[in-house]
Amino acid sequence: MATQTPPRWDLTNVYPSLSSKEFAADTEKLTRLITEMEAFLREKAVAMSGTEEIHQLTSLALTLVDSFNELLLTTGTLGAYIHSFIATDSYNKEALRKESEFDQVAVKIEQLQVLVLTWIGKVAGRLPEMFKAEPKLEAHRYFIEESARQSKYLMSENEEMLASELSLTGSTAWSKLQGMITSQASAELEVDGEMKRLPSPALINLRSHPDGEVRRRGYEAEDKLWTSIKVPLAAAINGIKGEVNILNRRRGREDALHSAIDMAHIDRQTLEAMLGAMQDSFPMFRRYMQAKAKLLGKEKLPWWDIFAPVGEIKSDHTFDEAKEVILTNFGNFAPELRSFAQNAFEHNWIDAEQRDGKRGGAFCMDVPGVGESRILANFDGSFDQISTLAHELGHGFHNDCAVKAGKTEIQKFTPMTLAETASIMCETIVTSALMKEVKNPQEELAILESQLNGDSQVIVDIYSRYLFEKEVFERREQAEQNADELCEIMENAQKATYGDGLDERYLQKWMWTWKPHYYSAGLSFYNFPYAFGLLFATGLYAIYQQRGPSFVKDYMDLLASTGEAPAADLAERFGSDIRTRKFWEDSLKIAEKRVDRYCELVG
């Protein structure tokens, strides 16, 4: 464990505090924007038939675009600022109160979106004329056309308004409960000869501890911890999935996956091609796991050894050392990427310290009011945490490319699939660069382990999460699932994907408890986008290796425009057809070469 205390983030350039006059002013501004936009929609748009003169339609559409951009800018800034306190200190009563107040406002924004979608659906047939008549509308064509498509999946206005209001005491409340319970959960465990009370993120990080006995006891401590809080977490996931099922059915969706595919800006053909290629790759990843078990002197790999470090590489980096590794290798890829990361480090955009009350995992959030990002991590000095920092900085760089390109808030919206592309690209940049500098087989093995562990998590484990969520949605249509049933579904999903790569006696049935993605009504199936991001980024990195520095500008242009076209159209810029299995198989072949070399080194 590194001894240097990792940093906490600083958002004082956004607002001085939650109780500041600046924060209060923007809160009042947001209320005013919502009131004005609702009045405008009801007085003008609702009364329109869609047959009006084209100048009337374009004038109204322009006003809506401008108003919506300003609304997104203000709400995005306030929401990110409030969340910065909630994510790092779930005991903060002032932040919890502000979050509750903000949730009430967020419902009104959802209701505005219903009115906007309804109006766009009404004038859908006139959109080509409107784009031709007004360049500013043409610049927002993709968002407007996509809104017209999604307008088909609306309930009546009254039903949509009621659903938004009820979500506060439904899915939103359940999501908060899960976040609070897991962030405040802790367990006592002996680590390095000392009894410690570890918050759940630190306990989870023990999965990569160099001592196998610590990993095993960490696994057992997790089992006791999640068992002790399984009832409220099962209630939360049932409440959320039940609500999503009802709304999907009422809105005419084919199934729970339908809206997730639309949100990802792909189609079922693309998803099926990718999932098919992933499934075919499982035997290859099992070879890697079996080789790792052999290396650790075991017949089969228990769950607590999945993240076990192998080979010899520094595992107690200070945060400054991690920073230097990232900056050096980002700079070798592109000066723009290094400059962005340097700015993030120097201006305290990163909260990396592990502590009680802080959420586990890692994320990057856009703070649109200042054109910046903020990154949460739980840094423990391991090489994997360096990769995590690189990953989240990739998200931030993605935001930065859109900001520097002058994109509006509407244009900046990015689907989950493409959001994961930039982050995984940055991971690849760091690990691939370090691989070229290996000094001996043990160091090579350690870096290969990091790469393959990440690959297997995003391909094999992500597929298990996909199977889990799919079955939970299907079963929830019939009845609630208790915690034991949820554990059974998770274990069955892991058996179907990991197969003989793991010891079936020691799987991780509690994966559903702490993954926040399962607890968001608006992010169903936030699993396959990670696989998309990995494989798409892998393909892009292969193109970069062929083209060299000339690739960078096209790549940055891609990141700046991920909210302005479907994923398939953006992939075509690089000559890739993501609707065919071959594209995904070609990316997986790169991982297969790593597995072959890993097995060769293990012997």
Side-chain angles (χ1 to χ4, degrees), residues 426-479:
C426 281
E427 272 191 78
T428 306
I429 288 167
V430 171
T431 54
S432 296
L434 291 177
M435 182 61 79
K436 295 176 183 177
E437 301 173 4
V438 295
K439 300 178 179 64
N440 55 63
Q442 285 300 305
E443 194 169 284
E444 181 183 3
L445 187 63
I447 296 175
L448 275 172
E449 166 63 28
S450 178
Q451 290 177 315
L452 286 173
N453 190 277
D455 290 347
S456 64
Q457 285 298 294
V458 174
I459 300 301
V460 184
D461 196 66
I462 282 294
Y463 201 106
S464 75
R465 295 186 221 170
Y466 168 80
L467 292 177
F468 168 82
E469 192 161 6
K470 187 171 183 292
E471 184 163 353
V472 169
F473 268 122
E474 290 169 357
R475 288 202 197 185
R476 188 63 186 85
E477 287 279 17
Q478 307 303 318

Side-chain angles (χ1 to χ4, degrees), residues 376-392:
L376 180 140
N378 283 276
F379 186 76
D380 64 358
S382 66
F383 180 77
D384 285 343
Q385 282 296 312
I386 296 178
S387 296
T388 296
L389 282 173
H391 178 105
E392 300 305 335

Side-chain angles (χ1 to χ4, degrees), residues 65-82:
V65 166
D66 289 340
S67 299
F68 203 48
N69 272 318
E70 188 174 10
L71 187 70
L72 290 175
L73 180 70
T74 308
T75 191
T77 305
L78 287 166
Y81 187 73
I82 295 169

Side-chain angles (χ1 to χ4, degrees), residues 23-168:
F23 181 87
D26 267 6
T27 301
E28 291 176 11
K29 176 185 176 182
L30 180 58
T31 301
R32 175 176 54 78
L33 289 172
I34 291 170
T35 302
E36 290 174 354
M37 191 170 176
E38 181 178 11
F40 179 79
L41 280 163
R42 293 200 179 281
E43 291 171 12
K44 304 288 185 180
V46 172
M48 281 190 167
S49 64
T51 60
E52 287 79 7
E53 294 290 328
I54 198 66
H55 71 86
Q56 292 177 279
L57 297 177
T58 55
S59 176
L60 189 143
L62 281 173
T63 301
L64 288 178
V65 166
D66 289 340
S67 299
F68 203 48
N69 272 318
E70 188 174 10
L71 187 70
L72 290 175
L73 180 70
T74 308
T75 191
T77 305
L78 287 166
Y81 187 73
I82 295 169
H83 190 62
S84 73
F85 291 91
I86 300 295
T88 54
D89 180 11
S90 61
Y91 298 101
N92 189 318
K93 293 181 179 179
E94 182 182 17
L96 291 169
R97 186 180 69 255
K98 295 294 185 184
E99 181 188 42
S100 181
E101 292 169 356
F102 185 77
D103 286 341
Q104 304 283 339
V105 178
V107 164
K108 295 178 182 177
I109 294 173
E110 286 180 19
Q111 293 173 337
L112 281 181
Q113 290 174 309
V114 170
L115 295 178
V116 171
L117 283 177
T118 300
W119 183 76
I120 292 177
K122 188 186 296 186
V123 300
R126 307 290 301 279
L127 290 179
E129 299 172 72
M130 294 164 66
F131 294 139
K132 187 176 180 181
E134 179 49 63
K136 192 170 183 179
L137 291 182
E138 174 65 33
H140 292 83
R141 172 190 281 268
Y142 182 63
F143 167 80
I144 295 171
E145 289 184 337
E146 187 60 26
S147 296
R149 283 189 287 272
Q150 297 308 313
S151 69
K152 296 182 293 185
Y153 304 108
L154 286 176
M155 300 181 289
S156 70
E157 180 184 327
N158 286 339
E159 288 173 316
E160 288 289 353
M161 299 302 175
L162 178 61
S164 295
E165 291 183 26
L166 288 176
S167 69
L168 289 176

Side-chain angles (χ1 to χ4, degrees), residues 189-227:
L189 189 70
E190 184 182 337
V191 181
D192 301 328
E194 181 184 350
M195 285 300 296
K196 298 180 179 179
R197 176 160 289 278
L198 300 176
S200 59
L203 186 64
I204 290 168
N205 279 348
L206 289 180
R207 296 172 181 178
S208 58
H209 195 280
D211 187 333
E213 180 61 19
V214 172
R215 294 194 301 271
R216 182 187 65 78
R217 286 189 283 107
Y219 174 86
E220 292 170 352
E222 276 196 65
D223 184 69
K224 291 179 181 177
L225 178 63
W226 303 128
T227 299

Side-chain angles (χ1 to χ4, degrees), residues 291-338:
K292 183 169 184 176
K294 178 182 177 182
L295 189 63
L296 296 175
K298 299 185 178 181
E299 188 175 333
K300 283 190 176 182
L301 204 64
W303 185 273
W304 63 77
D305 282 338
I306 286 181
F307 302 98
V310 302
E312 294 179 7
I313 195 168
K314 185 175 172 63
S315 60
D316 60 346
H317 299 84
T318 65
F319 191 80
D320 282 345
E321 289 171 339
K323 168 185 170 181
E324 190 55 39
V325 168
I326 290 170
L327 290 179
T328 298
N329 292 295
F330 278 11
N332 292 335
F333 175 79
E336 295 91 344
L337 180 57
R338 179 191 170 98

